[in-house]
Amino acid sequence: MNVELFIPCFIDQLYAETAHNTVKLLEKAGCKVIYNPEQTCCGQPAYNAGFWDEAKEVGSKFLNDFSEQNYIVSPSASCTGMVKNAYNNLFFNTAIHNKCRTIQSHIFELSDFLINIAKKDYFGAELEAKVVYHDSCSALRECKIKEEPRLLLAKVHGLELVEMKDNETCCGFGGTFSVKFPDISSAMAEQKVLNALDTGAEYIVSTDASCLLQLQAYIDAHQLPIKTMHLADVLTTGWMEDASL
């Protein structure tokens, strides 16, 4: 099937490897990946800061950059959730309302797409490590994703998935929240990282690079023995050439 790839500005600027690994995963799942280099942002930073007019302008460009014919897949639950939910506020009863509704029904976060649309859960990945999965607020509450990432991680050779305390609690990033309330944000990151360390995990895995950036910053600042890793990067680690799909 044809899949249009949406790489959020955050990943484009800071996690290019995650973007490339997303392409590899989709191709291994049998998809033809289409990438429009003119794409930019979904408008979430402006929207969350209260600048709805500016968010609407950016969101209009997003709707023009993608078609109504294909699935749209993104390695970011946060940006996917923005399109699926916040666009209702921006484009309700407008000239592009119908196109917006169609695109909203076609856009999927990566793990959601792989499990529920492509029907693929095994990619021949191999990672000898104990990991915890962090349920990002956007994935869990906006995209209704819970089991999909865990089903994918369960098929990674050598990976031991353990659950940490309060795994559904926010990491403290929250976009501009971390800038406006840095002390609270840091305390939330601390609690999340300490809960992960208590399990003996070597990695914290999530579907949202923004959460991982927040947690990795705390880890680096305190030189703690744990790392963060995006789900797409886990699923493309140590690929076996004979991986049967």
Side-chain angles (χ1 to χ4, degrees):
M1 67 183 82
N2 291 333
V3 169
E4 296 182 39
L5 180 65
F6 170 39
I7 298 299
C9 44
F10 197 89
I11 292 177
D12 177 67
Q13 295 296 311
L14 299 176
Y15 294 98
E17 184 178 0
T18 299
H20 288 297
N21 287 336
T22 299
V23 175
K24 294 176 184 177
L25 281 170
L26 291 171
E27 289 180 340
K28 203 158 192 178
C31 301
K32 178 183 177 182
V33 180
I34 302 168
Y35 178 75
N36 179 1
E38 298 300 316
Q39 63 179 271
T40 53
C41 179
C42 63
Q44 182 174 191
Y47 181 83
N48 288 346
F51 296 99
W52 282 25
D53 289 340
E54 290 80 358
K56 188 173 182 178
E57 183 177 352
V58 177
S60 296
K61 183 182 185 308
F62 177 92
L63 294 176
N64 286 328
D65 286 339
F66 293 90
S67 76
E68 300 176 67
Q69 287 71 46
N70 303 314
Y71 288 113
I72 303 166
V73 177
S74 177
S76 170
S78 177
C79 296
T80 301
M82 169 69 186
V83 176
K84 279 186 170 294
N85 299 285
Y87 276 25
N88 291 334
N89 294 325
L90 297 179
F91 299 107
F92 177 74
N93 204 26
T94 65
I96 55 175
H97 174 74
N98 289 338
K99 180 175 184 179
C100 177
R101 290 293 298 273
T102 300
I103 286 180
Q104 285 178 307
S105 68
H106 286 180
I107 190 168
F108 289 84
E109 179 275 331
L110 178 63
S111 68
D112 188 13
F113 177 82
L114 293 176
I115 292 295
N116 297 314
I117 303 299
K119 307 296 183 182
K120 302 288 185 181
D121 63 2
Y122 174 67
F123 292 90
E126 183 173 353
L127 178 64
E128 294 284 344
K130 179 184 287 189
V131 310
V132 292
Y133 177 75
H134 162 60
D135 292 284
S136 74
C137 297
S138 296
L140 187 67
R141 296 171 178 86
E142 294 187 351
C143 297
K144 312 303 180 185
I145 296 167
K146 176 71 175 179
E147 295 303 322
E148 289 85 353
R150 290 171 169 82
L151 291 172
L152 291 162
L153 291 171
K155 294 296 182 71
V156 176
H157 295 281
L159 186 149
E160 180 186 356
L161 177 63
V162 294
E163 296 291 342
M164 62 178 163
K165 180 182 177 182
D166 298 331
N167 60 353
E168 296 182 358
T169 300
C170 179
C171 68
F173 181 68
T176 55
F177 176 86
S178 61
V179 178
K180 294 178 179 178
F181 306 99
D183 292 339
I184 299 174
S185 174
S186 180
M188 294 172 73
E190 176 185 31
Q191 191 61 64
K192 178 67 66 172
V193 172
L194 292 180
N195 285 341
L197 284 170
D198 284 344
T199 69
E202 301 162 75
Y203 293 94
I204 301 173
V205 178
S206 186
T207 60
D208 274 295
S210 54
C211 296
L212 300 178
L213 178 71
Q214 162 85 348
L215 298 176
Q216 190 65 54
Y218 182 86
I219 290 167
D220 291 344
H222 296 83
Q223 299 181 328
L224 298 174
I226 194 168
K227 299 178 181 178
T228 59
M229 202 169 186
H230 192 282
L231 178 67
D233 301 326
V234 175
L235 297 178
T236 52
T237 298
W239 268 4
M240 299 184 301
E241 294 299 327
D242 62 346
S244 59
L245 299 179

